[in-house]
Amino acid sequence: MKLNPFNTRIGLALGGGAAKGIAHIGALKAFEEEHIRIHCISGTSVGALVASYYAFGRRAESILSIGSTLNLSKILNFTLERGGLFSTNAIREMIHRDLGDCRIEDADIPLAICATDIETGEQLIFREGNLADAVCASMAVPGLFVPVEVDGRILVDGGLVENVPISPLAGMGAGIIVAVDLSHVGRYPKPEDTFDVISNAINIGIDFNTRKQLKKADIAVPLDLSRYSLTNNADCVEELYLEGYRPMKKKIRRVLWYKRLNLFIYLLKAALRVLPLKVPEIITDLKRHAAAVRNRS
């Protein structure tokens, strides 16, 4: 954990978690209620989608309206393309409908979206470019969605490398990094078939890396949402929303503590610059007095 006493800019990282992403909206609501400004925001997979809406000026209550669409049945478009069973066209259309055909660099809040190059294994961080392209790439779960090609690179879900994208935020000017992890489970579902075994294996690997990466955040908000579905939570939107809201509401106190401590240190240093500090002169006077006593004796 690092604390930069001269920087109170808050960076928020929103992790992947498919239909559980509704919890991110509750976390954003907690910031709004406390009137705490988010200076920059990053997202992976569904976190990229929610981060994009917020970065382009949508308030939490407004974003909640898309909660019912965060289910697999509404965003799956079967395709005959190679590389996946479904296209990301429905996600693209939703972004165009709600935010327009916009570019990342035009966001009201500096925004970073993370994807993975499936050929090189590298993380690709989008700070500029077409918003829909970046979000669709970040949400393209390998094997399920067709990879998205951007500038000649074949891209898939950013969660393979960094499911909670903390790393871009320091370079975006954040001094206090807050990270929301939707996949902090203590136990995985008992596998019923081969697909479940493969799914658990992938999630274990991603979650293992995420736990290490979360140590780089100043304030981590790990959520155990294991009882919620990865595919459809349309019947419990409000409940899942509160799963993000309540823990963040508690963590907000730590955010405020960080900001107040930073302010105290800043004011102390400012005071030291203004007030004359005479310590060296006092030491010199004491030395002269001691020398005069020795000379008299």
Side-chain angles (χ1 to χ4, degrees):
M1 182 182 295
K2 294 181 180 179
L3 173 61
N4 182 344
F6 308 106
N7 187 353
T8 61
R9 293 171 59 84
I10 294 173
L12 179 63
L14 302 181
K20 300 177 184 180
I22 295 166
H24 283 321
I25 306 171
L28 290 170
K29 181 62 176 179
F31 275 94
E32 289 180 358
E33 283 190 351
E34 297 295 333
H35 305 288
I36 297 178
R37 178 185 172 191
I38 296 170
H39 295 84
C40 53
I41 190 168
S42 62
T44 292
S45 196
V46 71
L49 181 66
V50 175
S52 296
Y53 273 71
Y54 198 74
F56 275 89
R58 293 297 186 97
R59 304 284 288 178
E61 294 292 342
S62 173
I63 304 173
L64 191 60
S65 65
I66 71 167
S68 60
T69 67
L70 290 180
N71 70 75
L72 220 54
S73 63
K74 291 194 176 182
I75 62 173
L76 291 182
N77 287 338
F78 183 73
T79 180
L80 296 177
E81 296 180 59
R82 294 177 60 186
L85 298 174
F86 306 98
S87 76
T88 53
N89 288 341
I91 300 169
R92 185 181 302 276
E93 290 168 4
M94 184 171 68
I95 293 171
H96 285 171
R97 179 196 71 206
D98 296 337
L99 303 178
D101 187 10
C102 48
R103 296 183 62 81
I104 297 169
E105 62 267 31
D106 295 330
D108 299 332
I109 301 172
L111 170 66
I113 295 171
C114 298
T116 303
D117 187 318
I118 198 63
E119 292 184 290
T120 66
E122 294 176 290
Q123 180 186 49
L124 192 64
I125 300 173
F126 288 94
R127 292 286 315 280
E128 56 184 24
N130 184 271
L131 177 69
D133 284 346
V135 173
C136 287
S138 187
M139 296 185 71
V141 179
L144 186 63
F145 289 103
V146 175
V148 176
E149 183 173 347
V150 179
D151 296 331
R153 304 184 74 166
I154 309 301
L155 305 177
V156 296
D157 194 330
L160 294 179
V161 178
E162 190 177 18
N163 198 40
V164 184
I166 295 166
S167 64
L169 293 173
M172 297 168 72
I176 302 170
I177 294 177
V178 183
V180 183
D181 176 20
L182 302 180
S183 306
H184 199 83
V185 300
R187 220 180 146 76
Y188 297 88
K190 182 178 179 179
E192 302 292 338
D193 51 35
T194 303
F195 177 79
D196 288 343
V197 172
I198 295 172
S199 177
N200 277 10
I202 293 172
N203 288 332
I204 288 169
I206 291 174
D207 295 346
F208 179 77
N209 284 332
T210 299
R211 281 173 169 79
K212 293 192 294 184
Q213 292 161 354
L214 282 176
K215 295 177 181 178
K216 299 177 183 177
D218 296 300
I219 299 170
V221 185
L223 304 178
D224 184 348
L225 304 177
S226 53
R227 64 194 185 93
Y228 296 94
S229 171
L230 281 168
T231 58
N232 184 6
N233 293 300
D235 58 345
C236 53
V237 169
E238 184 66 23
E239 186 179 354
L240 192 48
Y241 168 85
L242 292 174
E243 293 278 8
Y245 171 80
R246 287 170 180 153
M248 183 58 80
K249 193 75 170 177
K250 295 177 181 177
K251 294 281 187 175
I252 286 292
R253 297 172 188 168
R254 290 191 63 192
V255 177
L256 293 172
W257 179 82
Y258 267 71
K259 290 178 73 67
R260 288 165 184 160
L261 180 61
N262 284 344
L263 180 60
F264 171 77
I265 294 174
Y266 174 81
L267 291 175
L268 178 61
K269 286 189 171 287
L272 291 177
R273 290 194 189 100
V274 174
L275 297 175
L277 193 60
K278 303 281 188 177
V279 173
E281 297 176 8
I282 293 172
I283 294 174
T284 301
D285 290 341
L286 288 174
K287 286 181 178 179
R288 288 173 182 168
H289 178 70
V293 169
R294 283 197 302 269
N295 291 334
R296 285 198 298 268
S297 59

